[in-house]
Amino acid sequence: ITQAVARGVTQAGGQTETLFLTEYKLERCRQCDADGWGMCIKDHRCVIEDDFASIVTKIQAADMLVFANPVYFGDLSESLKGFLDRFRRIGFWRIMQQPNRGMPGMPPPPQGLPAVGICFAGGSGNGTTSALANLERILQTCGFDCVDMITVRRQNHQMKLPLLEKVGEWLVTKPTSGPFMIPPR
């Protein structure tokens, strides 16, 4: 899955780096203060000394991101969920400053890096849609501009590989989702 996207990026003249979160030392959020927050809300960084900060630095240097998630039990993998739980805490203050926060049915405006979410499942292939919905919501809360969300199942894997290469090529153009518009009636 990730190799197909990387091939597309490379074919379009871009460069890629793939990070496997399971290869990094990442602790779960400690909710440091009595109010459940900590340095993350005050200083926009995490107090835990592990590989988290180095990954955040790579994200800040990127032009675009692809979050590829293997689906287990119809949800995000533990490593991605744990990372994103911490990541959204260091950026939550930006989201709260958005003018449309708290308005039902209104997604946050594009704020940051273009991101694509991919959820893929083996076995029955079930759970990709619910996992992808969770991933999109969390990425938006983290401040990413979700330009595409893609499900891949064991049953359609071969069919989706050329599409994923095209997505990689497209990402090199630095797409954005643009302003949110209510369609005319």
Side-chain angles (χ1 to χ4, degrees), residues 23-27 48-56 83 86:
E23 296 175 357
Y24 289 85
K25 182 180 181 243
L26 293 169
E27 293 183 34
I48 301 171
E49 293 186 21
D50 60 6
D51 293 330
F52 178 76
S54 68
I55 297 170
V56 170
F83 174 78
R86 287 175 63 190

Side-chain angles (χ1 to χ4, degrees), residues 62-134:
D63 292 325
M64 73 213 68
L65 295 168
V66 175
F67 291 87
N69 176 71
V71 176
Y72 301 105
F73 307 107
D75 207 349
L76 301 181
S77 67
E78 290 81 353
S79 56
L80 184 57
K81 177 82 167 77
F83 174 78
L84 290 174
D85 282 347
R86 287 175 63 190
F87 190 84
R88 72 178 144 185
R89 284 178 166 269
I90 65 171
F92 186 72
W93 60 276
R94 285 182 304 215
I95 304 304
M96 294 308 292
Q97 294 173 356
Q98 294 301 319
N100 68 347
R101 72 178 170 85
M103 292 178 64
M106 296 291 287
Q111 302 157 41
L113 290 172
V116 169
I118 303 170
C119 287
F120 53 95
S124 71
N126 294 330
T128 55
T129 304
S130 59
L132 202 63
N134 288 341

